[in-house]
Amino acid sequence: MIEVSHADRVVFPEIGRTKGDVVAYFERVAGRALPHLLRRPLSIRRYPKGLDGPGFFQKNVPAHYPASMERFAVPRSAQATKRHRGKAAAPVREETEYPVLTLAEHLPYLANQGAIELHVPTARLPDLLRPDRVVIDLDPPPDSLVLVRRAAIVVRDRMGELGLPTVPVATGSKGYHVVAPIAPPATTDDGLAIGTAVQKLAALLVAEQPDDLTVTFRVAQRGGRVFVDWLRNMPMATVVAPYSLRARPRATVAVPLAWSEIETIPPDGFTIADVARLLDRPDHLADLARTPAAPEPFVAAVDAAFERAGLVLEEFDRFRS
């Protein structure tokens, strides 16, 4: 049990939940959440003054964080330069030093630092180019619960046909993640091939369901369709971690579901008030991850289906798409 600073500070004004409540939540779910966080560089969404104050994403680990929390440095750019009074100095190697959790007690510690959301990549150290999960993030237009549920089933069925069993995750926000645990590929090149295969899968899904699905990045151009976000599988891209709180008024939670629950549990169906209920449930994602699928047959099957469909993989530029 850690000593909570400003425990009575209201973090979620709409429901009156305090910083003490947030720390207590992460303390209770730490054992359930930690397997999804271990060995993954962490990006943290913090609101030190609560949701009524400014929030920000933190990737660099501060020096005062405990030594038991590992650090993982990623170069930002070998050509980065520092500037002093408007003049460029000699090139320097800048790095982002991510925190990497190793102990359950790190979760309430981060909550005491103002953390609300925890985001992780689809790969673990030591090789972040060899993922152990495939994630399709389904982002619906407003008030489209029926549409996003239907999209989740379509993605589940297609991924199953291509060799990947999946679990849905209620994100605590607007949509669902469809997640497939995989055995990390043997090489970095094989890992990059998985990312390309997921992009092709998204294109296949859109070609098969053009009225309901899209890979158009810009919201204004989606035309009321569900965005099939394959970009979460790019190196160092992140997704919200299971059992993380969300920085939303009701203090919702990201929770793995069973497919039988998809029609009854909305994406924001769990909140901080449901912690006892969460701990009584199975962790369907952790259960499936005990028998991860081999990714190589999936990549081969996607490549073959993509070729049969006569599709062309377009180069993606998020700033021009």
Side-chain angles (χ1 to χ4, degrees):
M1 191 77 176
I2 69 169
E3 182 178 349
V4 183
S5 61
H6 308 289
D8 59 349
R9 175 180 289 151
V10 176
V11 175
F12 294 94
E14 185 171 299
I15 59 173
R17 290 287 185 162
T18 66
K19 184 178 178 182
D21 294 327
V22 173
V23 173
Y25 169 81
F26 275 110
E27 194 161 48
R28 289 192 66 183
V29 303
R32 181 67 67 92
L34 190 62
H36 300 287
L37 297 164
L38 283 171
R39 311 302 299 155
R40 299 187 195 272
L42 188 64
S43 298
I44 307 165
R45 195 175 184 190
R46 292 176 59 196
Y47 284 81
K49 302 297 184 182
L51 263 61
D52 276 350
F56 57 92
F57 265 101
Q58 172 187 305
K59 296 182 178 181
N60 274 303
V61 58
H64 68 269
Y65 278 22
S68 59
M69 191 178 296
E70 294 183 8
R71 277 72 168 159
F72 178 72
V74 177
R76 294 180 187 171
S77 171
Q79 303 301 317
T81 61
K82 289 186 177 179
R83 293 185 175 271
H84 179 63
R85 295 182 181 177
K87 296 181 180 180
V92 296
R93 180 182 175 90
E94 292 189 353
E95 295 178 326
T96 299
E97 193 172 46
Y98 289 86
V100 180
L101 305 192
T102 59
L103 301 171
E105 65 197 46
H106 290 155
L107 276 85
Y109 175 87
L110 291 175
N112 195 41
Q113 301 296 310
I116 293 180
E117 295 187 5
L118 308 177
H119 295 252
V120 291
T122 59
R124 300 180 192 264
L125 298 176
D127 191 344
L128 295 180
L129 298 179
R130 296 172 57 220
D132 66 354
R133 289 181 180 178
V134 166
V135 179
I136 296 291
D137 180 8
L138 298 172
D139 184 12
D143 302 317
S144 297
L145 184 55
V146 171
L147 188 59
V148 76
R149 280 174 165 157
R150 187 162 66 229
I153 297 298
V154 167
V155 174
R156 175 200 69 183
D157 291 348
R158 198 68 173 100
M159 291 182 73
E161 291 168 4
L162 294 165
L164 290 188
T166 57
V167 163
V169 175
T171 64
S173 185
K174 298 182 300 178
Y176 297 100
H177 291 164
V178 180
V179 185
I182 59 174
T187 69
T188 294
D189 286 345
D190 292 337
L192 296 174
I194 292 169
T196 301
V198 180
Q199 184 182 2
K200 289 180 177 179
L201 169 62
L204 279 167
L205 289 165
V206 170
E208 293 163 359
Q209 303 280 337
D211 294 334
D212 292 338
L213 306 178
T214 182
V215 288
T216 300
F217 187 78
R218 293 185 184 277
V219 175
Q221 298 175 0
R222 294 180 188 171
R225 294 168 293 177
V226 175
F227 177 46
V228 183
D229 187 354
W230 54 270
L231 293 159
R232 306 295 182 168
N233 301 278
M234 301 298 286
M236 291 309 296
T238 63
V239 297
V240 68
Y243 304 102
S244 172
L245 289 174
R246 302 307 302 265
R248 298 178 69 83
R250 294 171 45 246
T252 50
V253 182
V255 181
L257 306 178
W259 279 112
S260 60
E261 298 175 308
I262 197 76
E263 294 296 334
T264 57
I265 299 178
D268 59 354
F270 290 91
T271 74
I272 193 172
D274 296 313
V275 60
R277 178 181 166 208
L278 289 175
L279 295 176
D280 282 342
R281 291 170 46 85
D283 183 340
H284 298 285
L285 180 54
D287 290 345
L288 185 59
R290 294 188 181 96
T291 55
E296 293 81 8
F298 164 73
V299 172
V302 170
D303 285 345
F306 195 79
E307 185 174 350
R308 286 195 302 271
L311 299 175
V312 176
L313 191 64
E314 298 182 4
E315 184 175 350
F316 178 79
D317 182 344
R318 65 179 296 177
F319 299 105
R320 298 179 62 184
S321 296

